Structure formats: C-alpha cells, structure tokens
Amino acid sequence: MRWITIPVLLLMLTASAPIVADKEPIRLGYIPLTDCAPLVMAKELGLFEKYGVDVEVIKEASWANVRDKLLTGELDGAHCLFSMPFSVYTGVGGKEGSEMKIALVLNNNGQAITLSKDFCGKVGFKQTPKVAPVVAAKLKAEKEVTFAMTFPGGTHDIWLRYWLAAAGVNQKTSKIITIPPPQMVANMKVGNMDGYCVGEPWNGVAVKQDIGFTEISTQDIWKHHPEKALVVNKKFSEARREELKQVMKAVLEACKWLDNRANRKKASGVVGKYINAPADVIEARLMGDYNLGCNQGTEIYTDDYMLFHRGGETNFPRRSHAIWFMSQYVRFDYLKEAPDYKAVADKIIMQDLYKEVAASMKIKVPDDDMKPFVLDLDKVKFDPNNPGEYLKSVNAINQ
C-alpha cells in the first residue's frame, strides 16, 4: 500500500478547489431595485466563485448609506446610481472631492416617473408629445406639488428635473424631496408626495396597488441612457485591482445572462427575494410589458426595456455621459460654476481598466465616447466637447 503524506494530500485536495483570494471577502452593496440583478445573479449563479473571488452581496437602506459605506471602506463596491460619484465629487450629494470609482455600467433604461392617482386623467401622459404643456398648467392649477427622487444629483433626480423642465414647470415652485427607493410606494400611499422618479419595481408596484400610474418611462426621455454602475471604493480599486477585475468579469457574465430573455423569469423570482417585491411585477417590466395604470392600457417596449449588456454597448462607462450629468447640475442650479468636466470624468471613470477586462472577455468596446448625442424627449443635442454651448442653448438654469 502506498502512503500519502498529509502535506501532499492537502496539496491534492486544494488543487481541484476554486481559487479564492486569501483576503477578506469583498463586500458589495445593493439597493432593493430590479437593476441590482447583475450583482445578485453573479452571486446566485456562482459566477464570483467561477472567477475566484469571495463576494458578499449586502442589502443597504438608502443611497446615502451606500455613499457613506463606500467612502469609509465598509463596502468595497456597490450597485450605484451612475451619476452619484459625480454628484458626490462635485459637492452636490456629498463632501466635495470625495472619490468613488466607476468600473462599469450595469444597465440601461427601466426607470420611470409615477404620479398619484389624484392626477389620473388630468395630465397629458403617454400622448404625443410625451410631455405636453397641459401637464404643467394642470399640475400647477391643482396645488403646490411635491415630487420625490432618491439622491441629490442622482439619475432619478435628473430624470425628474429634466421632465419637469420639458413640461415647462418652474422647479422653484415645486417641492422635491429625497426618499429611499423601497419607501416610495408607502410614502405616496399616505400622501407625502404627488409623484416620484425611481427604478423598478416600485413604479410597477404602485400600479399593482392602484395608488399611482406610470407617467413616463426614462427610456422615453433618453433611450439607452446609463442608469446603474458598479462603483468601488478608491483604495479597493488600487490595492485589490486584480480581484476587482475578476469581480467585473463575473458581473459582465451575469449581464450577458440577464439579456437572454429566456432567463428573465428565473431572474425575477431570485431578485424578488433579494428586494422583497412581487416577482410578477419585476418580470413584466423586465420583459418590456408595462401596465401603465390609470386606464392607459399597456405599453410594450421591444428594444428599450431594461437592458444589461447589449453586446457591450451598455457596460462601457462613457465620459460623455458623465459630462452630461454634470452639465445638468449647472443647468438646475446645483452648481454655481461649471466643474472641470473632463478632468472629473477621467478621475472617476476607470475606462482603461474596463477596456482591459472587456478585451480579456472578447467584449467589443464602443467607439462613440465623446461624440454628440440627442435626447429623445425634447430632441436636444448634447456635445460633450462643448457643454457650455449646450447650457446656453437650453437657457435652462432655474427654468
């Protein structure tokens, strides 16, 4: 009989086991929203293990909580509003100069503005144009309206303000408050606000509970807009760079998996448990099947519902998009002076790292960064190379 020494036996056993870094687990936070799905499914499908990283996925209460934990290092990374790192860095939504890094974009589309049933039949919703002047007139005629969004300078905040501006509503006459996403429906139910902008499933849930209706989906404001991103702590991005690359690979593979429509029913059930929301509501809007509420019927989105990969078009973090959001901070009077747009975008977005990871996975990197684009709602063209001229053209500070 051949004897095997203990050291040799241990070597044989560990050789076939998944390679997991001999470090503290990587802690990734998420907010209860449908678009946390890439992190959730990377965990549930065993993709983090596949790429040799030990990851904990942790539910957080609010975007402010996510911000604070990212900055202190309590979280290594998180499912995060794409514009939040720019809001924080410029001082709109945090201490000016605080750095959080964008590794990749998690999804496009799939947010919405919900209005209370009090306005059912009183505004020009879902007509052409999507936002008619009658919206502004009738809203103002009713009362001073209160709207909610989820974080100052965040994506939901900017979608709401952009829609109001397009409707001709003077934002100084409207009250805009901050509410965490999972609390939107409950707050509307007790009358704390008249409308809100948030991600799914909380717009679909308002329709299901018959307390609100979908006024407009954000893909109708800007088709394929950036929405959530994988955002990481600065120190983590530097000290554990190789592990970050493996995390990115796992998340990118999950994004590909999610864009296979055949997988969305399964994803809806899994995500529903993570965010404590009805799987049927999650699934319907993930499939582009929007019951709008308020006798508006159903709208079917065929190529612009919530998307997670689009052959790499979704995931590439563009500096031009960062510059657009920062220009809105100036437009809506969050910032008195324009920041150094390109320098901030370069500091926050880890574009070189993304390109390296994408190349290793044979994911095509789009070549449209820093090219002008047009928003669908008002057909206004934005040139990231000349945001000052854009701001003059919209004449929009404190519209």
Side-chain angles (χ1 to χ4, degrees):
M1 182 175 180
R2 181 182 176 188
W3 294 95
I4 301 175
T5 64
I6 290 177
V8 172
L9 178 61
L10 288 173
L11 182 62
M12 292 170 61
L13 290 173
T14 56
S16 60
I19 301 171
V20 178
D22 185 22
K23 294 184 180 179
E24 288 293 315
I26 297 167
R27 295 167 59 85
L28 301 181
Y30 74 93
I31 291 292
L33 289 162
T34 300
D35 51 27
C36 72
L39 270 61
V40 166
M41 296 315 304
K43 181 69 174 178
E44 291 292 318
L45 294 171
L47 297 176
F48 291 127
E49 290 180 345
K50 173 182 174 179
Y51 288 99
V53 282
D54 182 9
V55 173
E56 296 177 0
V57 178
I58 304 159
K59 182 161 68 173
E60 299 295 340
S62 69
W63 292 122
N65 208 40
V66 168
R67 173 201 61 200
D68 294 345
K69 289 186 176 183
L70 278 172
L71 291 175
T72 62
E74 190 172 342
L75 288 174
D76 299 303
H79 151 252
C80 195
L81 301 160
F82 174 82
S83 58
M84 196 163 112
F86 309 106
S87 171
V88 172
Y89 187 83
T90 59
V92 172
K95 183 181 178 182
E96 186 175 352
S98 300
E99 288 184 44
M100 303 186 297
K101 301 286 192 176
I102 292 178
L104 58 85
V105 177
L106 294 173
N107 70 295
N108 300 137
N109 311 320
Q111 322 298 296
I113 293 172
T114 290
L115 294 183
S116 162
K117 280 190 69 181
D118 292 346
F119 295 114
C120 186
K122 298 179 182 179
V123 294
F125 51 79
K126 307 314 293 182
Q127 298 173 3
T128 302
K130 294 282 185 183
V131 179
V134 70
V135 177
K138 291 193 174 181
L139 281 175
K140 288 187 287 188
E142 292 288 334
K143 55 181 177 177
E144 180 190 44
V145 290
T146 297
F147 293 103
M149 49 76 182
T150 62
F151 186 83
T155 52
H156 304 136
D157 183 22
I158 299 306
W159 309 140
L160 176 63
R161 291 177 188 276
Y162 201 95
W163 171 77
L164 287 170
V169 176
N170 185 332
Q171 293 173 40
K172 285 188 174 181
T173 67
S174 302
K175 187 177 181 182
I176 299 178
I177 61 176
T178 303
I179 300 288
Q183 298 176 25
M184 287 292 191
V185 174
N187 274 273
M188 180 173 279
K189 191 176 291 186
V190 297
N192 286 341
M193 69 277 210
D194 304 288
Y196 59 74
C197 184
V198 75
E200 297 300 345
W202 308 116
N203 302 289
V205 169
V207 172
K208 181 170 184 173
Q209 294 187 9
D210 199 29
I211 63 167
F213 61 92
T214 300
E215 158 65 21
I216 187 170
S217 298
T218 53
Q219 52 264 42
D220 292 323
I221 296 175
W222 177 5
K223 183 177 178 178
H224 299 329
H225 64 77
E227 182 49 45
K228 301 302 187 300
L230 175 61
V231 174
V232 295
N233 167 270
K234 181 174 183 284
K235 183 178 178 181
F236 173 77
S237 73
E238 296 168 348
R240 301 176 72 176
R241 189 179 180 86
E242 292 304 313
E243 288 172 271
L244 173 55
K245 287 194 284 188
Q246 302 311 309
V247 168
M248 292 168 67
K249 289 176 185 178
V251 171
L252 283 166
E253 188 167 328
C255 286
K256 288 183 181 181
W257 184 89
L258 283 160
D259 266 7
N260 182 340
R261 286 175 63 90
N263 293 330
R264 293 205 166 190
K265 185 177 183 65
K266 177 179 179 179
S268 301
V270 173
V271 172
K273 293 176 182 177
Y274 272 75
I275 70 175
N276 192 27
D280 60 331
V281 176
I282 296 172
E283 181 183 357
R285 296 215 168 184
L286 267 182
M287 299 300 288
D289 186 354
Y290 281 49
N291 174 8
L292 301 172
C294 195
N295 302 313
Q296 297 181 87
T298 299
E299 182 158 349
I300 304 296
Y301 291 92
T302 57
D303 67 343
D304 56 354
Y305 45 77
M306 189 178 291
L307 295 169
F308 299 91
H309 185 59
R310 288 198 301 133
E313 293 286 335
T314 294
N315 308 117
F316 178 52
R318 294 163 174 84
R319 294 170 299 163
S320 56
H321 294 169
I323 294 169
W324 183 85
F325 277 103
M326 287 186 281
S327 75
Q328 303 310 305
Y329 300 162
V330 178
R331 178 184 183 186
F332 298 126
D333 209 24
Y334 270 134
L335 296 177
K336 298 300 182 184
E337 296 181 359
D340 187 338
Y341 294 108
K342 189 175 182 300
V344 177
D346 287 341
K347 184 181 288 288
I348 297 299
I349 295 176
M350 296 189 292
Q351 207 172 80
D352 289 344
L353 182 65
Y354 176 82
K355 289 177 179 178
E356 180 185 341
V357 171
S360 73
M361 298 183 73
K362 296 181 171 54
I363 295 173
K364 183 180 178 181
V365 175
D367 63 358
D368 60 353
D369 196 13
M370 296 305 292
K371 292 182 180 180
F373 54 87
V374 175
L375 268 72
D376 298 84
L377 179 63
D378 53 11
K379 307 304 179 187
V380 172
K381 183 178 181 180
F382 179 76
D383 183 353
N385 300 291
N386 197 349
E389 193 61 34
Y390 160 81
L391 290 170
K392 288 179 184 177
S393 73
V394 294
N395 190 25
I397 293 180
N398 291 329
Q399 278 195 45

